[in-house]
Amino acid sequence: MISEEPYLLDPSELRIVLVGRGKNRITSVRKILLGSSEENEKCSSGTKKCQRKEVKIGQQNVVIVETDLCNLERVSGEEEKEEVLSHAAPGPHVFLFVLSCKDRFTTPEQNAVEMFKETFSKNVTLYTMVLFTGGEELEGTIEEFVGESELKSFVDDCKGNCHVIKNNDESPSQRTELLQHINNMVQKNGEKFYTKEMLQEAEKEGKGWGVRRKVAFCVGASALGGATLGGTAFPMLKVPFAAAIGVPVGAVAGGLLGGAGILAVAHIKAKLHRAQQTNTSP
């Protein structure tokens, strides 16, 4: 057991999920959190893509779920999300999104952030801390490193919660400072944690967003078709400015019809789904 650190009293269990690109970065964070005792390495379970480890620090049981989600070149599947949340049940207090002070926030990292938010919803950033490794090579402050880039936007989404660790520092004080910062964040969140219900709600919102995107696409396509038809048909009426009038009138009419069609289909699908649920319910 790691020596007691008196500030770690509440909550009695702290659940942390590690995400981000770069397996080495995540491994270095896990080693800092777990320490070097053989006892810690025995407390593990899971698959290659998701590992759960536990360690007792003072009066607090710390659960670390190490994932490979954002290293995948696709949005995570249902089974992968379920596995992460089951290992961190009843839910993680914090997602540590691991980046490096040595690297620029390039397109792959930006894509990983978007994948993370798409997987767990944009609200997940309320429970996320951006953790930078390689602090020994940081020149200036972390605020200067973040600057006014897309990276700053992500940190701002996380309510400014970010922390820096040094890869060459194996002292217990580094773990202490990180856990202190995480616990302070948890307290500011009212000791709430990310739940499975939040994920389900996010998935519902995602489906709604999918319908809205289909409507927007169909409206645009139908409007273009309507504009073409209007611009062709109206001149046949032989009235002044017929083409100028026909294009916008056709676009509006086509857009309305296209959008109405998509919404009607979505409404019918939802109605059929509710009917199926009623028929299958006991």
PDB file of all heavy atoms in Angstrom, residues 4 20 40 106 186:
ATOM      1  N   GLU A   4       0.044   6.869   3.312  1.00  0.00           N
ATOM      2  CA  GLU A   4      -1.174   7.677   3.400  1.00  0.00           C
ATOM      3  C   GLU A   4      -0.911   9.139   3.055  1.00  0.00           C
ATOM      4  O   GLU A   4       0.102   9.708   3.430  1.00  0.00           O
ATOM      5  CB  GLU A   4      -1.759   7.580   4.807  1.00  0.00           C
ATOM      6  CG  GLU A   4      -2.341   6.211   5.104  1.00  0.00           C
ATOM      7  CD  GLU A   4      -3.258   6.257   6.318  1.00  0.00           C
ATOM      8  OE1 GLU A   4      -3.509   7.365   6.834  1.00  0.00           O
ATOM      9  OE2 GLU A   4      -3.716   5.193   6.749  1.00  0.00           O
ATOM     10  N   GLY A  20      -6.831   9.179 -25.003  1.00  0.00           N
ATOM     11  CA  GLY A  20      -5.912  10.003 -25.780  1.00  0.00           C
ATOM     12  C   GLY A  20      -5.109   9.187 -26.764  1.00  0.00           C
ATOM     13  O   GLY A  20      -5.139   7.953 -26.741  1.00  0.00           O
ATOM     14  N   ASN A  40       0.168  -3.334  -6.782  1.00  0.00           N
ATOM     15  CA  ASN A  40      -0.665  -2.586  -7.715  1.00  0.00           C
ATOM     16  C   ASN A  40      -0.819  -3.315  -9.045  1.00  0.00           C
ATOM     17  O   ASN A  40      -1.896  -3.336  -9.633  1.00  0.00           O
ATOM     18  CB  ASN A  40      -0.058  -1.209  -7.971  1.00  0.00           C
ATOM     19  CG  ASN A  40      -0.049  -0.360  -6.716  1.00  0.00           C
ATOM     20  OD1 ASN A  40      -0.877  -0.545  -5.839  1.00  0.00           O
ATOM     21  ND2 ASN A  40       0.914   0.546  -6.637  1.00  0.00           N
ATOM     22  N   THR A 106      -1.811  18.767 -33.584  1.00  0.00           N
ATOM     23  CA  THR A 106      -2.014  18.600 -35.019  1.00  0.00           C
ATOM     24  C   THR A 106      -3.360  17.936 -35.318  1.00  0.00           C
ATOM     25  O   THR A 106      -4.127  17.616 -34.405  1.00  0.00           O
ATOM     26  CB  THR A 106      -0.878  17.754 -35.611  1.00  0.00           C
ATOM     27  OG1 THR A 106      -0.824  16.506 -34.904  1.00  0.00           O
ATOM     28  CG2 THR A 106       0.450  18.472 -35.470  1.00  0.00           C
ATOM     29  N   VAL A 186     -13.305  17.213  -8.787  1.00  0.00           N
ATOM     30  CA  VAL A 186     -14.474  16.403  -8.425  1.00  0.00           C
ATOM     31  C   VAL A 186     -15.346  17.145  -7.419  1.00  0.00           C
ATOM     32  O   VAL A 186     -16.584  17.148  -7.516  1.00  0.00           O
ATOM     33  CB  VAL A 186     -14.028  15.035  -7.857  1.00  0.00           C
ATOM     34  CG1 VAL A 186     -15.232  14.259  -7.306  1.00  0.00           C
ATOM     35  CG2 VAL A 186     -13.331  14.212  -8.936  1.00  0.00           C
TER      36      VAL A 186
END
